[in-house]
Every structure is written in C-alpha cells, then in structure tokens.
C-alpha cells in the first residue's frame, strides 16, 4: 500500500460523518462508530494508521506513527497522520488520546504532542478487517478426532465429580470451539462452491472431491458422534449447575469475574452448557445444518458435471469461433460452411479418401467416435416419429377448481366470523385477524389511524390512551394491542362509529402481543 495519496483533506468528511451520526441518532460510545472508518473515502490511510497502533504496546505520537509507516514503505506526512488520528478519536472513537508529558505550549495540546492508543473496539474492528481482507486464506481441516475426545470427556463427567472435573470441562469446551470454527469455515467454502454454476473441469472435479470424499466423511462422523454427545449432555443436564460451579471455582480469576471485570471461560455458566446442548441437537444443530448444506450442494455438482459432459468441455462461444476458423480454410471452408448453415441435407465430413467411383462410405461404415455415456443418455436430440399428444388435464383441473372453491368458501366464512363481532374467535379467524392487524401496523399513521388489508379483511388501528389496551379474544389465544384499539371491516369501508384518536400517532412502533 505504498505511495498513498495524501492530498485529500479529512475535515469535510469528518463533518459529514458527524452530521450523519446526529441525524441517525448514533450516540457517543455506540459500537457502530468505530466501524465508520471502514466506509470512509480515506479508508486506506485510516487502516495503515490503525494497523500501527494495533501492533504497538505503548502509546504513540503522530511523529512515531509516521516513522513506523515510513519503515514499512508508506509515505504519509506527519501532519496528515495527526489529522487522521484526531478524526479516529473525535468522529470514529477508534483511538484514545493522551497528552504527552513533554507538552510545553498550549498549541501543542491539539497538535503533535498527543500520544494515541487504539481503543478495545478499535482493535476489534481492525482485526475484523484484517481477517476479511486476508487473501488466499485456506480453511482448516475439521478436527474429527475432537468428537471422540468430547465423548470420552462426557463419559468421565457422568461418573461424578472428581479432582479433574474442571480440567475435563475446559478440554471439552476447547475441543468444541475448535470444531465449531473449523466447521463454519468448511460450510462457507462448501456454500461458495455450491452456488457456482460456471465451474470448469478442474472446479467441478474439486467440488466432486470435496463432496463425495472429504465432506461426506465429515458428515458421517458428525452423525455418528452427535447422537452420542447429545445423549450424554441430556444425561448430565440436571448437573449443569454443579459442573459450571466446579469450573468457576477452579478459575484463578474468580474475584475479577465476580466483580464483572473479566468474563468467565466457557463452561463456567449454565448458559454455556445449554448452548452446547443446542449445538449438538440432532435436528437443528450446527452438524445437522452442515449435512443439509451438503445435500443441497449435490444437485449443483451434478448440474456442472452434466453441462461439462454434454457440451464437450467447451462453451458455445468457443465452438462458434472454431467454426469460423474452419470456414476460412481455403480448401474445405466452403464445404464446412455449407454443412453448418445450408438449408438442405447435411454432408458428411470425413477423413477417408473417396473411392475410385468418387463415392464416400456410409455413416455405418465410417470412422467410429467415442461418446461419453452421460451425453448418450441426456444428449440434445429430437424425438423420432410422431410427437405424443399432450396428456388430458380436465380431471386435474376440475380437482384444483374444487379445492380452490373450498378455500374461497373457508376464507369468506373466516371474514364473516371476524366481522360479525362475536367473541371469542376460532383459531382460524383469530389468525386472520392477526395478519390483518400486522398489515395495518406496517402502514404509516395518518391522523392517528393505520389501516391495512389482508386477503379480503381490513383492520384499522386507532391510537388510544396509554392506559387503554385493545384485545381480540380467541378460543385458544388472544391478541393484545397496548395503547391502540383494533376495528375490523371490509376493505375500503371504514366503520361509521369509528372513534377519534385520543392522541396523535407519533410514528412509534406498534406493539402486538400474542397471549395464550
């Protein structure tokens, strides 16, 4: 990143960003602010300055930062570095300044005599960007052996508390962290390959090797071990509190953790064990989702392979260019063009010299060409003989018309039930009322009212006092609208007895609660 352009000033941009924070209500200290310099037009300069501060263990002055950049081959003047550091402090809150002890004049307080250090949020943003911008990163292998170690750890914990309980808990969660991070990386790689329909032969072979070989083995290992780990965690679930207490009591930072100055390691809270149990859920856990992604990627692999075999490994553009080159041949170019574009029977092009009577061999007696099996099965060819007539669809059409009539009748019945005013409503009717109320809540307020429509049923929400709560009673559950009243009516027909709003709608978010 050497030779950065430093002529553009940051004062105007800093003012624009400050106005943007003010308009959007981003307060001082909001975690969103340190992310702002990643969107700046001067991002390259901010990034190199933050990289120096992130690597430093002491506070640095602008002069020291400029010297460190110069050692790395980046020419950034000291005055520009000072301006960027002030912007990172005042606008983006990514660095924290400290006056230098050598300040001798008042002007130096706002100049080059400040020492800067990256804030914790600023360091996290810089590391996050470094991870995103990493080029050529290779995903780690999934540690399948960690599954066996986790099974062994759970079996040891199921035997009761021992002197090694805290050590076993720490190893259990450490193996899980390694497994989770590696599995997330493999799932991202699999998704990126599965969404590509333009893979060449090498890319298709890579996807096939990943799916059929490695990923299938990982999915099989996960399916085999997840059931055992989930069963072991379910057996230990009544002891989650005792295990968390044992891990917390063994920590040397117990007092700091109790005062909230430091977060406890994983396994020291009951919530950590519950999250571990949900991760290994056979139906909705991380391992199950990885298997689902594997299943979704298999048809994509087949589509790529079918395209490669069917097209002979070349694109239509490449085949068209080959035909154009062949047509320029001074001897056979005319015959190639006639055979390719002529409006009569095709001539056979072959490499066997004609006989004495100037006759060519038949297709059956001509040279044989090997054709891929997949191309023979799914090649582009027209059907021989008469084309079969389209199947009769009268019976299916009548069946779907009957089902459509039943649905429309049920919809009319539900709307009539809601509009009749009888309470409590059936489950189907109160569900329709909820959808109409949600549609009304999403419409901007006009004169204290919001009117929305869903499937032939309209709802108007009228702003009431804070002590008023609208309720729509149902048989099994009810809808509660704090501060608003709900009126249901046909679309386009407001009720005549609609009350006036108690107060103007300030545009606040409408709250709908479902109470069973």
């Amino acid at each position: 990143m050497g030779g950065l352009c430093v002529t553009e000033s940051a004062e105007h941009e800093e003012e624009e960003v400050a106005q943007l924070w003010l308009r959007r209500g981003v307060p001082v200290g909001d975690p969103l602010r340190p992310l702002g310099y990643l969107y700046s037009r001067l991002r390259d300069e901010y990034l190199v300055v933050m990289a120096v501060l992130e690597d430093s263990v002491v506070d640095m002055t602008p002069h020291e930062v400029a010297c460190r950049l110069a050692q790395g081959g980046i020419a950034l003047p000291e005055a520009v570095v000072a301006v960027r550091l002030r912007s990172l402090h005042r606008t983006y809150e990514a660095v924290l300044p400290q006056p230098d002890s050598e300040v001798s004049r008042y002007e130096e307080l706002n100049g080059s005599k400040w020492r800067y250090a990256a804030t914790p949020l600023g360091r996290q943003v810089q590391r996050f960007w470094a991870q995103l911008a990493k080029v050529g990163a290779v995903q780690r292998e999934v540690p399948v052996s960690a599954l066996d170690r986790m099974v062994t750890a759970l079996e040891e914990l199921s035997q009761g508390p021992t002197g090694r309980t805290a050590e076993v808990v720490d190893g259990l969660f450490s193996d899980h962290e390694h497994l989770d991070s590696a599995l997330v990386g493999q799932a991202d790689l699999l998704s990126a390959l599965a969404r590509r329909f333009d893979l060449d032969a090498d890319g298709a072979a890579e996807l096939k090797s990943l799916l059929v070989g490695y990923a299938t083995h990982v999915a099989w290992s996960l399916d085999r071990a997840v059931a055992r780990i989930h069963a072991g965690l379910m057996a230990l679930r009544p002891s989650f509190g005792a295990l968390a207490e044992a891990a917390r009591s063994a920590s040397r930072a117990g007092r700091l953790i109790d005062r909230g100055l430091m977060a406890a390691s994983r396994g020291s809270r009951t919530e950590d064990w519950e999250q571990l149990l949900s991760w290994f859920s056979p139906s909705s856990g991380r391992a199950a989702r990885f298997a689902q992604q594997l299943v979704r990627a298999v048809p994509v692999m087949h589509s790529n392979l079918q395209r490669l075999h069917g097209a002979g490994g070349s694109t239509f553009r490449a085949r068209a260019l080959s035909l154009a080159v062949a047509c320029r041949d001074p001897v056979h170019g005319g015959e190639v063009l006639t055979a390719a574009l002529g409006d009569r029977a095709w001539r056979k092009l072959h490499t066997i010299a004609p006989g004495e009577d100037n006759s060519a061999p038949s297709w059956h007696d001509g040279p044989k060409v090997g054709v891929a099996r997949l191309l023979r099965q799914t090649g582009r060819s027209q059907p021989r003989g008469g084309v079969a007539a389209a199947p009769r669809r009268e019976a299916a059409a009548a069946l779907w018309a009957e089902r459509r009539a039943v649905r429309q009748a049920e919809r009319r019945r539900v709307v009539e039930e809601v509009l009749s005013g009888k309470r409590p409503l059936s489950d189907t009717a109160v569900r329709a009322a909820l959808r109409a109320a949600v549609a009304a809540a999403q419409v901007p307020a006009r004169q204290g009212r919001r009117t929305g429509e869903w499937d032939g049923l309209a709802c108007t929400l009228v702003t009431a006092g804070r002590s008023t709560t609208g309720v729509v009673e149902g048989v099994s559950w009810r809808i509660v609208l704090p501060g608003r009243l709900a009126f249901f009516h046909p679309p386009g027909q407001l009720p005549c007895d609609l009350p006036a709003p108690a107060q103007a709608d300030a545009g606040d978010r409408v709250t709908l609660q479902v109470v069973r």
Side-chain angles (χ1 to χ4, degrees), residues 337-352:
L337 182 61
T338 302
L341 306 176
D343 294 333
R344 52 186 174 81
W346 285 67
R347 290 185 179 181
K348 178 172 182 263
L349 305 179
H350 54 83
T351 58
I352 299 180

Side-chain angles (χ1 to χ4, degrees), residues 33 123 207 334 363:
R33 289 193 175 227
R123 294 181 184 272
L207 181 58
W363 283 101

Side-chain angles (χ1 to χ4, degrees), residues 10 15 17 37 40-41 43 80 90 220 228 241 256 291 309 366 370 417 421 500 511:
E15 183 179 355
V17 175
Y37 74 87
S40 171
R41 296 190 298 269
R43 179 180 63 187
V80 176
R90 295 185 301 191
W220 177 82
R228 299 177 60 187
L256 296 175
H309 284 277
E417 180 180 356
T511 302

